[in-house]
Each structure stands twice: as structure tokens, then as C-alpha cells.
Amino acid sequence: MTQSLTIRMARLGALLGLGLLLACQPPAPLVVPPPPVVVAPKPQGPPPKPKIALVLGGGAARGFAHIGVIRTLEQEKIPVDLVVGTSVGSLIGAIYAADRNSFELEWTAFQLQKEDLFDFGVLSTVAGMGFAKGDKLETWVKGHIKPANIEQLKIPFAAVATDLNWGQKVVLDRGSVARAVRASSAIPGVFQPVQHQGKILVDGGVVDNIPISVARAKGADIVIAVDISANVGNTDITNLLGVSLQAANIMFALNVEHSKKDADVLISPAIGDVGTLDFTQKKRCMEAGIVAAQQALPAVRQAIDRWVAAHTSGAAPASQRP
């Protein structure tokens, strides 16, 4: 019993000693996790903006519809960064590019009369290469568009003409505004060809009456095109001038069918029945332009939203063309 008790006491002493030893050890250090790293968000800049081109087709007196389209785009704050025009589209486009003001455009354009453009003469018809020389058109432009040169316009601008000798498209984006508009508007057989920049030029509608490709070449991301082609059918052709105008209408309408598919948004005012030289329909044409542009606004905004979304996300831009 004595020996057993001694052993128990020894074991108890060992346990007590071990407990005391452990109690004397310094406490384990408290491990504190590092604070989470907070990455401040990068400041968000304004979203990117596409370069929007307005392409205005040819159609003589029907060109007053362009005014209604431009007024609507301006009122809806759709920016226009580039204007490209053929024939009357170059005339209306140049007036707008000079001031970037649709009300000034309307005021100026509505002063325009057929007599201001067409200097018909027997001598021009018999001895020249057209019914009208085109001097009056050029003079009118000089008197109503203050900047003399295209480089001075507030909006980048280009008029499209045709090289009569070689059948090539000519883009007029520098030099005289008045001479560029005159050359772009020189309907073959109606106006005499124009000597300009070392070439003999006629109406751009011969090769491209709605020059969307020119806007693309100039870096446009979104193209809004306005087609004012005539209804080709015409049974009221009674003289040589009528023959020339009808031939031009057919030619212009055919190349529009080919090129208009490349627009992001195509606006087609319902004025195809308005005669090429019928300047009595100004108000109707402008109102038709307003209506057609208002109907196209959802498509315009969708095209802009798609472009911005593609470029904000960093994804490669998908084609916006339907």
C-alpha cells in the first residue's frame, strides 16, 4: 500500500509540474488577418460617340424634303458630323454645313426659285452641251453661303460629281463651295458640264445618286441616307428637256437601288411623284421629310445605341447594317 501510494503521489506531482510548466509558457501570438485590399473603381468617362454622316441624294425640286429631315434630326439632338451630297443634296447639304442651323437652312432654301437655278437659252441648247449653263446656280450659291471654300464650313462636307470623260466618281471636299455644288448638280443634257479641278464634271447621280460609300470612306460609323428618287414611270414626256430629265431619273433610280442597302438608316420621304422641276411643292416636300425622319428616329437611336454598346464593352463592332 505504501509503495502504491508513493507511485500515485509521484504521478500526481508530475502532472502538477507539467501543468505549472505549461502555465508559464508565453501565450501564442494573435494572428490578425490583413485588411482586405480595396481597389478604387476607375472613373468612368463619357461614353464613346459614333461619327454620324448624313447622305443626301439627288432629285432636284424634291430636295426640299432634305430640309424636313435635317430639321427633325436637329430637334431630336441627333448629331451630324459629316454631310455628303449629290446634286440637290449637295446644295442643301452645303447650306446646312455652313451654319449648322436648320431654321437658317429653311429660310435660305425657301427663297430658291427655279429661275435662280436654270439659265435656259437657245444658244446654250443649240451650240452648247445643255439647256442651261449653270452660271445662275453658282452665283446663287455664292450669294447665300458665306464661306467661299469647303474647308471653311462648320460641318465637314463633300459633294459628289462624275468625271464625264472617264465615268469616275469625283469627291469634291476642298475648294470652292459654289463650283462644287454646280458641278454636282449638272444634270447631263440639262446643264452644261463644268470645268473644275482639271476635269469635266457632270451630276454625281450618274454614278452614285446616294453616295453612302463616300461617307464610309471618310470614316463614318453610322450613315443616315435620304433617298428622294422619283417614281420612274412617266407618260407625260413631250419635249427634249423632258427626255433628258426622264433619262436622268431612270439612271439615278437604278444606282440608288444598288447603293442604298449600305445605309444604317434609310429615310425615303413619300414624294416620288413630285416633278423634277416642280418648285411649287416645297412645303409638301419638307413636310414629307419631317414625317419620314420622325418614323426613322427609333432606327437611328438603335443604331447609335448598338455602336456605343459595342465600343463601351470593348467588343469588336458588329455591323449595324440590316
Side-chain angles (χ1 to χ4, degrees), residues 78-91:
I78 304 297
V80 174
D81 306 299
L82 170 67
V83 178
V84 180
T86 290
S87 199
V88 71
S90 73
L91 173 60

Side-chain angles (χ1 to χ4, degrees), residues 37 58 76 102 104 109 120 132 164 173 178 182 189 203 257 278 295 322:
V37 178
E76 296 295 328
S102 64
E104 186 66 28
F120 293 111
L164 183 62
D173 55 6
R182 176 179 176 179
D203 197 303
E257 283 300 314
D278 187 358
Q295 292 172 344

Side-chain angles (χ1 to χ4, degrees), residues 61-72 110 226-229 266-274 281-296:
R62 294 183 296 278
F64 289 96
H66 291 322
I67 301 171
V69 172
I70 291 171
R71 179 200 276 192
T72 300
F110 267 69
V226 187
D227 176 20
I228 55 169
S229 301
L266 181 69
I267 300 175
S268 301
I271 50 168
D273 61 318
V274 175
Q281 303 287 324
K282 294 178 185 178
K283 185 175 181 181
R284 177 196 158 191
C285 288
M286 189 185 77
E287 290 174 346
I290 292 172
V291 170
Q294 289 174 339
Q295 292 172 344

Side-chain angles (χ1 to χ4, degrees), residues 21 37 89 111 154 158 172 207 261 267 271 274 315:
L21 180 63
V37 178
Q111 299 176 52
K154 291 183 179 179
L172 304 172
V207 291
K261 300 173 185 176
I267 300 175
I271 50 168
V274 175

Side-chain angles (χ1 to χ4, degrees), residues 240-251:
L240 183 56
L241 178 59
V243 171
S244 298
L245 290 172
Q246 177 64 358
N249 283 334
I250 294 170
M251 180 168 44

